Amino acid sequence: MSPHNSNCSLTHPSGTRARVLLSSVFGPYAQDDKYGSRAINPMELYHNQVTRAQGAFSLRMFHRSWGIMLIQANISAPCTVLDFPTREGFTRELTSHEYEIVGISSIISNVGKVREMCRLVRELSPHSTIVVGGHVSAIPGIEHMVDADHYVRGEGISWMRCYLGEDATAPIKHPAIISGIQTRSMGMRLPERRGSTAATIIPSVGCPMGCSFCATSSFFGGKGNFYNFYETGDELFDIMEGFETTLGVQTFFIMDENFLLHRKRALQLLERMKAGGKSWGMAVFASANAIQKYSMQELVELGISWVWMGLESPHSEYTKLKGTDTRVLTHELRSHGIRVQGSTIIGLEHHTPANITSEIEHACSHETDFHQFMLYTPVPGTPLYREMKEQGRMLDSIDLADIHGQFKFNFQHAAISREDSKRFLDWAFLHDFESNGPSLYRMCQTMLQGWRRYRDYPDPRVRERFAREMQKLRTGYSAALWAMEHQFRSVNRSVSEKMKTLRKDVESESGIFARLSSRALGPLLLWTTRREERRLAKGKTYEPPTFLERTNWAAT
């Protein structure tokens, strides 16, 4: 599908002269407050949903609000993006400048903040038109919860262009986006040097697989539907080459719900990379059945270095898993140097207190580099939500702020209680961590396997990419392995010994520099790790910085 949102039926009287403010919801985010923030649901994707039980080893970072950045880059009206503001900062922006349009983007759990921001706009800038977008707009009855003028469901670039009187079908200009900001682990903040962090590329939104629980698929049209911003590999290559120059990057986070499903586009990109001698690395989302359409050679030459793959359950009937032994596939991917991010749902319809432990153990037996666990959650706006509503199984007393898949059930499960759902979820994270070790350690395992397999590969692009990864192992990662080995002795002695073996393998591949690095920096990382554990035990949390960016702006 081409990107076009047909919801827009009106044009703002000021057209492209209208000043536009696009804002994410205000912070703080990692604490309980009266507007719906929850300490259990911080603005950190990995620490929130993937590495949350890993303590100081947890991978922590923030990601910008990419949707409003895309809209800003694709309209000609004067526009301000206010990302991660404080409540005071949002009110200050409203009173410091005249805005004809105020757009607010949010996920469902932050609906309380959207309500307050709409109230503030009505009070402080009553002439402004309020537009609410993002997943929050999919809540049934949202019109009765927040006071806005327009609710944009689905792709928002074409809607805003249409509302401003611009060509809604014009080519999409991709903004320069650094994937993660303020990354930290083991009590250390990683330096943010030019080119050290991947750039984000968003080729498409939505997913045609249409799993009934998937809010993203439902939001962008459901099963069989998606919006392609870029139809060809040629277009993606040109964008990536541009960011290689302007941002200095050689790695890319491809934010597409099932990138490898579009095989023609991916292989065209591969041909351009070969012709241009590009040794780029890519992190992608892909279903198991899409991955298996490629040979390992194609994946490696394409630069796939990380893949986020749904594992769900060996007894599930999702199309994306049909006919796939996901444990075999995971092992094969890792043996080729491709890090695997698994994703498993806790509380599927067939789960019971009797079988849930074995299902979690099966998930952990994949030994993925990262593992996300999420509760089976009927999210408002999804087919699963409608189904549960019709069956009278939704728990109506649950606050929308607590519907995010990382707390407790929001529906009546046939066999598992709401309280037990949290207990099983917490145990899944902890069991994966204790039995497989920190994700940082598992990444090092995969990187070393890739280096050993491909260091003499005929294609120099592939050799160059794995050489870059090996350089990380020789330096900072080698020291991290030393610290993890010592810190993990009290958690799982067997895994600690595996860390020691891996560290020695890295040192044998790297010579004296890696040995010096691990001995010199390892004790420092052990100290910062233990210091961070003490901080976290006292309730330390992290918040993203505020971003204020203006385009097409003339001061008045």
Side-chain angles (χ1 to χ4, degrees), residues 42 80 84 129 131 144 162 184 198 206 210 222 239 243 248 252 291 422 442 454 476 501 518 520 528 541 543 550:
T80 299
F84 309 130
T129 298
V131 181
H144 307 294
C162 175
R184 64 185 299 117
I239 294 169
F243 290 164
F252 300 89
I291 293 170
K422 184 180 187 305
R442 298 179 236 174
Y454 289 103
T501 300
S518 62
T528 60
T541 59
E543 298 284 344
R550 305 191 197 277

Side-chain angles (χ1 to χ4, degrees), residues 246-310:
T246 58
L247 300 177
V249 298
Q250 290 181 293
T251 55
F252 300 89
F253 175 51
I254 310 297
M255 183 60 240
D256 184 302
E257 293 294 320
N258 207 336
F259 178 72
L260 295 178
L261 195 63
H262 310 285
R263 180 173 168 82
K264 180 180 178 182
R265 183 175 66 185
L267 293 184
Q268 187 179 56
L269 174 60
L270 171 57
E271 289 306 309
R272 289 295 303 276
M273 288 172 61
K274 285 181 175 180
K278 303 299 185 183
S279 63
W280 296 334
M282 280 184 275
V284 304
F285 291 78
S287 56
N289 66 346
I291 293 170
Q292 293 191 303
K293 293 179 180 180
Y294 299 78
S295 67
M296 286 294 153
Q297 177 183 336
E298 287 174 326
L299 293 173
V300 169
E301 292 186 354
L302 183 57
I304 304 300
S305 58
W306 181 96
V307 61
W308 188 312
M309 176 174 63

Side-chain angles (χ1 to χ4, degrees), residues 97-114:
H97 302 281
E98 294 283 335
Y99 286 105
E100 283 75 26
I101 301 168
V102 177
I104 302 166
S105 178
S106 174
I107 58 174
I108 288 171
S109 57
N110 285 323
V111 63
K113 292 192 170 183
V114 175

Side-chain angles (χ1 to χ4, degrees), residues 199-210:
T200 294
I201 307 291
I202 307 174
S204 313
V205 290
C207 179
M209 303 304 291

